[in-house]
Amino acid sequence: MALFSRRKKTADPSTVEEDAAVPSAPAEDAAATGAPEETVPNVGISVQAFRGVGADAGPEVAAPVDEQSSSGLEDDAPEEPVVAPRREPTINVIETEKPRLPLASALPPEDTHTIEGLKDNVLLREALAEIAEGASNEELLGVMRQSMQGHLYLRVYGDAGQQINDGEALSVAVIREDEKSFLLAFTSGAALRAAVDAEEDPAATSAMAQPVGLIYQQVIDGGFTGIIIDNASAPHRVVFPTELLQQALDQGDPAMVLKSLVSAPREPDTAARVGEALAKKKVWVAVSDGTNGAPVGIAEAHTADGKRFLQVFSHPLEVVALGRDDRPMPFEPEQLAKVLSSHSELAGVIVDSAGPSLAVERDSLGPVLVLAVDLGD
């Protein structure tokens, strides 16, 4: 493997700059650096997992994002959620129209490790694989929704473990262009290898794994312009501006508990753990106002054996992914408890029906139903 070779000294020792141009959109064919013509020596990548990057990991900048560098996502981002109705909502079946982007399989993918010790973010990697030249805003939002779970990886120059032990700020890799700065993150060991293979002067580097929510928050708190995911894997990469990351975290659970549970390989207690999370975490429901003749109310789903399930979502982007005219509406645990207790015909809930999804039946929703008892329903 190889590393960035053209590094500048800056006032912030915790960042390492790359001299490459920043891609203005994920579909552009502009790599961070050109691949060297001669064979690059192999340099091993050490793997470290830490809870935090460190307070000094980001540059002291706060550059605005213009329309070209923002990938055009803001215009199609979900609108502010509608206010929950005061009366008990009507629950109706809303048929799914043809989606605007490929939906994922109901079952989560199997874990893969393209570098020993690094668990790939397979869902995000597969979403990026759908990105091509001229990707639509809907496709980019589909990538964003699949990023709301799991881990991403940061490149750290030198030995990350030693830097932590010595109390030093981690030398994480960023790209800077004029006043803009972008943190680099990776979905997999293969994407990380592609980035270091593109370097001309190899040096030691470490890979640091962190939950996506922490990395997105670091981009926001560190004053970055945005984040580039899999920068050396064009066209299968994406640029997310900080404003979009802030909106995504504000609208969802920063810990991404539900999405992470549904997206992980199934365990015997997965449904029970989702039931516990639903008793604590706000979810979203899909609301139709009757446009195009659709039933007015909250969407439910019917299984082949006739069971009825309320559709709930871990993030409003999960509603957008279905490609319907529904609007995402926030639903607190107490509201969910009231609906389930008032509609005994509902067999349970389906979480994130755009996939990966999970049907959770009533016998796993005890913690939620207890809330209805506490409310006197």
Side-chain angles (χ1 to χ4, degrees), residues 13-374:
S14 65
T15 60
V16 180
E17 299 178 10
E18 183 180 357
D19 290 341
V22 176
S24 59
E28 290 184 0
D29 189 19
T33 57
E37 295 181 359
E38 58 185 14
T39 302
V40 178
N42 183 46
V43 175
I45 298 177
S46 64
V47 179
Q48 302 286 343
F50 304 109
R51 293 184 180 178
V53 177
D56 298 325
E60 297 293 335
V61 296
V65 179
D66 57 31
E67 293 181 357
Q68 292 183 345
S69 64
S70 67
S71 299
L73 291 177
E74 290 88 340
D75 292 341
D76 280 4
E79 301 178 3
E80 289 298 316
V82 297
V83 178
R86 293 183 180 180
R87 65 179 184 274
E88 182 180 329
T90 302
I91 302 176
N92 283 309
V93 178
I94 300 178
E95 296 296 336
T96 303
E97 301 172 0
K98 183 178 179 181
R100 289 176 291 180
L101 63 152
L103 303 185
S105 170
L107 290 177
E110 295 294 327
D111 288 341
T112 65
H113 302 75
T114 49
I115 288 183
E116 185 177 356
L118 288 182
K119 184 170 70 172
D120 300 335
N121 193 323
V122 181
L123 270 179
L124 182 52
R125 183 183 65 194
E126 290 180 349
L128 282 173
E130 299 289 338
I131 295 294
E133 298 290 342
S136 67
N137 285 344
E138 288 81 8
E139 289 173 323
L140 296 176
L141 288 173
V143 174
M144 170 59 79
R145 93 170 169 98
Q146 294 294 35
S147 80
M148 303 297 287
Q149 51 77 38
H151 288 71
L152 285 172
Y153 302 96
L154 302 179
R155 294 180 60 184
V156 180
Y157 290 94
D159 188 330
Q162 188 64 46
Q163 292 174 31
I164 291 292
N165 292 335
D166 294 342
E168 300 175 357
L170 294 174
S171 298
V172 296
V174 304
I175 284 181
R176 183 186 296 275
E177 182 182 53
D178 299 326
E179 296 183 353
K180 299 175 184 178
S181 57
F182 295 81
L183 185 67
L184 300 181
F186 304 90
T187 62
S188 66
L192 185 56
R193 282 192 186 279
V196 296
D197 275 343
E199 299 302 328
E200 298 175 358
D201 187 13
T205 187
S206 301
M208 183 183 69
Q210 283 196 313
V212 170
L214 288 182
I215 290 182
Y216 284 178
Q217 193 61 54
Q218 180 64 25
V219 173
I220 296 166
D221 295 342
F224 289 95
T225 309
I227 189 171
I228 303 176
I229 301 177
D230 291 355
N231 67 299
S233 303
H236 307 302
R237 66 177 174 199
V238 72
V239 182
F240 287 141
T242 299
E243 288 85 348
L244 185 64
L245 302 183
Q246 182 72 73
Q247 184 181 23
L249 293 183
D250 287 346
Q251 290 186 333
D253 170 24
M256 305 178 185
V257 173
L258 273 175
K259 179 72 170 179
S260 295
L261 285 171
V262 174
S263 300
R266 299 287 186 256
E267 301 290 346
D269 64 344
T270 296
R273 293 172 64 191
V274 170
E276 293 173 357
L278 288 171
K280 302 174 183 177
K281 300 293 184 178
K282 175 180 69 177
V283 294
W284 299 76
V285 292
V287 178
S288 172
D289 60 4
T291 303
N292 298 326
V296 177
I298 298 175
E300 67 172 55
H302 287 180
T303 61
D305 58 2
K307 291 183 179 179
R308 297 173 56 189
F309 289 83
L310 185 70
Q311 294 184 31
V312 300
F313 304 87
S314 61
H315 195 279
L317 285 174
E318 296 291 333
V319 179
V320 175
L322 293 175
R324 306 186 304 219
D325 292 326
D326 306 342
R327 295 192 62 186
M329 182 178 76
F331 228 51
E332 297 293 342
E334 293 78 11
Q335 292 174 285
L336 179 59
K338 184 174 182 179
V339 167
L340 289 174
S341 64
S342 301
H343 295 268
S344 59
E345 70 277 12
L346 290 173
V349 301
I350 289 182
V351 183
D352 290 350
S353 53
S357 60
L358 179 68
V360 184
E361 301 204 26
R362 281 182 175 268
D363 58 359
S364 296
L365 293 172
V368 178
L369 297 173
V370 166
L371 296 177
V373 175
D374 293 340

